[in-house]
């Protein structure tokens, strides 16, 4: 892809949330991630863009499984927006660079659906798959991890929190 001057264009993804009243000018505020931004800022960003892609709203509570093992882009985006980072205790790798792990393995009937997918960086995906680390989903976006030694952590949108040993 080339920009307007013929130089290679950089790809940037910005998730901006606007309403119909923002588009009509009745509401001067949009949202970028969890921050309010002005519609003037949105206009400035769009004015410098060589390409703008508008996608529909992603409902993070939507459960539409697919029958294949391969993960559709809409599912990946939903999981990345829900979890932001690798969900292994204390890992901060961005979800967009992670593998998506089937909580209940696809080969054992686990659906390919955001409700059954968790972002794990390659290192932690391998630790979960090939060692005695394991986790449970306690609610969407919240995970209870157990180490091979029986130590437990809760990982959620607020970070990693230790739990007492299991008995």
């Amino acid at each position: 892809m080339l920009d307007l001057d013929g130089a290679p264009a950089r790809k940037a993804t910005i998730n901006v949330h606007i309403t119909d009243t923002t588009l009509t000018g009745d509401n001067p505020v949009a949202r970028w991630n969890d921050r309010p931004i002005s519609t003037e800022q949105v206009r400035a960003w769009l004015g410098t863009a060589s390409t703008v892609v508008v996608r529909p709203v992603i409902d993070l509570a939507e459960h539409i499984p697919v029958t294949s093992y391969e993960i559709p882009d809409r599912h990946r985006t939903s999981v990345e927006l829900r979890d932001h980072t690798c969900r292994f205790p204390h890992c901060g790798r961005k979800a967009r660079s992670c593998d998506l792990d089937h909580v209940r393995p696809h080969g054992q009937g686990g659906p390919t659906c955001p409700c059954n997918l968790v972002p794990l960086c390659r290192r932690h995906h391998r630790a979960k798959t090939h060692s005695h680390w394991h986790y449970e989903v306690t609610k969407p976006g919240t995970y209870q991890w157990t180490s091979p030694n029986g130590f437990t952590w809760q990982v959620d949108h607020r970070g990693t929190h230790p739990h007492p040993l299991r008995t």
Side-chain angles (χ1 to χ4, degrees):
M1 178 176 7
L2 301 177
D3 70 9
L4 298 176
D5 298 324
R10 294 184 333 188
K11 179 181 177 186
T13 301
I14 301 172
N15 293 304
V16 177
H17 303 271
I18 58 175
T19 64
D20 57 343
T21 58
T22 305
L23 293 173
T24 61
D26 296 330
N27 176 7
V29 178
R31 296 202 69 76
W32 175 46
N33 294 332
D34 288 331
R35 298 183 205 153
I37 58 170
S38 70
T39 52
E40 291 304 316
Q41 179 65 59
V42 174
R43 282 189 193 95
W45 286 339
L46 295 176
T48 61
S50 57
T51 303
V52 175
V53 177
V54 177
R55 292 195 176 106
V57 171
I58 296 172
D59 180 358
L60 298 182
E62 182 178 75
H63 296 284
I64 302 176
V66 295
T67 56
S68 70
Y69 174 80
E70 296 300 318
I71 299 162
D73 288 342
R74 71 180 188 276
H75 285 2
R76 172 169 278 286
T77 300
S78 181
V79 171
E80 290 171 5
L81 290 171
R82 180 190 68 208
D83 290 336
H84 302 284
T85 62
C86 172
R87 297 286 86 184
F88 192 85
H90 301 291
C91 186
R93 182 174 294 268
K94 297 288 183 194
R96 68 178 169 267
S97 353
C98 290
D99 298 335
L100 293 185
D101 181 51
H102 283 79
V103 177
R104 181 172 173 213
H106 186 264
Q108 295 174 13
T112 299
C113 179
C115 64
N116 192 48
L117 298 171
V118 177
L120 297 175
C121 68
R122 183 63 49 93
R123 177 179 180 204
H124 295 133
H125 193 182
R126 287 180 176 163
K128 178 258 176 185
T129 303
H130 300 295
S131 73
H132 295 288
W133 281 95
H134 65 275
Y135 66 93
E136 300 169 16
V137 178
T138 57
K139 64 182 181 181
T142 303
Y143 311 95
Q144 176 93 16
W145 278 91
T146 304
S147 75
N149 297 329
F151 292 98
T152 59
W153 293 266
Q154 177 177 303
V155 179
D156 61 19
H157 67 281
R158 296 172 295 135
T160 300
H161 314 283
H163 281 273
L165 285 171
R166 287 188 176 192
T167 56

